[in-house]
Amino acid sequence: MSEGSAHSASGVTSMALFNNVAGVFTLDAAFESSLFNNSTEDTTSVGFGDVDRDGDLDIWMTQRTGPSARLLLNQSRNAHQSIQLRLRTNSGNRDAIGARVALHLGGDNRYQTARAGSGYLSQSSKWLHFGLGNYDGPLQVTVTWPNGEHERFDNFSSRGKYMLNQGTGKALRKAHRDVA
């Protein structure tokens, strides 16, 4: 390990970030000199969510050493180039934990699973966040609910936040500032 690189609590693990560019993983030089790699802090948990409700993912981190919590706000110029989905069931599993969501973007499919926990001592937002990049076509979602039923939703008027209630087949548009 080189002098000045960050270590975990054990003192033996250094951090690295590799970018996948055209199928080849290369060490990210910007990461080498970043806040993350030149820190002596030991991050113990991380959670992702749209904390400032502007349509992009932000990061909460806690450290064993250093500040007890750190919020990294994503100030991307491409805010709202995403769709965020919240699931509700009719059963006792109200947050649809275990449901599988498939977002269909033309010929490209993206998948996420509703989870109750997302890491060591952390919980990410229950909103499932899908980045859309430059995609501007129609959006279609298929949910496989925890009971095994499949349901299709395709009435998305635009990008943004939508509540998907089991058995309705309709996506309910929510304001970006809505929490639940």
Side-chain angles (χ1 to χ4, degrees):
M1 250 187 293
S2 64
E3 185 176 320
S5 62
H7 304 281
S8 73
S10 65
V12 296
T13 306
S14 64
M15 295 181 281
L17 175 70
F18 292 88
N19 279 335
N20 180 354
V21 179
V24 177
F25 287 92
T26 57
L27 185 60
D28 187 317
F31 182 79
E32 285 288 297
S33 62
S34 73
L35 160 76
F36 298 101
N37 206 33
N38 284 325
S39 173
T40 57
E41 298 160 5
D42 187 23
T43 300
T44 55
S45 60
V46 64
F48 301 90
D50 187 7
V51 175
D52 55 1
R53 300 185 195 125
D54 64 355
D56 54 29
L57 285 178
D58 305 304
I59 303 172
W60 271 110
M61 299 182 341
T62 60
Q63 288 88 20
R64 188 183 61 81
T65 59
S68 59
R70 177 174 283 156
L71 173 62
L72 303 175
L73 289 175
N74 180 353
Q75 299 300 320
S76 171
R77 289 184 213 132
N78 294 326
H80 307 288
Q81 294 302 313
S82 65
I83 186 168
Q84 297 178 55
L85 307 173
R86 182 79 185 261
L87 308 177
R88 290 276 189 239
T89 66
N90 301 324
S91 68
N93 180 5
R94 182 178 174 196
D95 291 321
I97 303 304
R100 183 88 166 140
V101 176
L103 174 66
H104 310 289
L105 308 170
D108 184 26
N109 294 322
R110 299 181 187 173
Y111 303 92
Q112 287 195 44
T113 301
R115 300 181 190 279
S118 55
Y120 176 71
L121 297 176
S122 62
Q123 168 67 48
S124 291
S125 170
K126 290 180 184 172
W127 286 92
L128 300 178
H129 187 279
F130 292 89
L132 300 175
N134 293 325
Y135 182 78
D136 198 27
L139 301 174
Q140 183 184 81
V141 169
T142 303
V143 177
T144 303
W145 296 101
N147 66 3
E149 292 177 9
H150 300 277
E151 188 170 7
R152 182 176 148 181
F153 296 83
D154 56 9
N155 64 311
F156 301 97
S157 59
S158 65
R159 287 26 179 175
K161 295 174 87 167
Y162 292 87
M163 182 69 71
L164 306 183
N165 293 300
Q166 184 178 13
T168 66
K170 295 188 190 262
L172 177 62
R173 173 94 176 172
K174 304 291 275 182
H176 264 291
R177 298 288 174 198
D178 285 350
V179 175

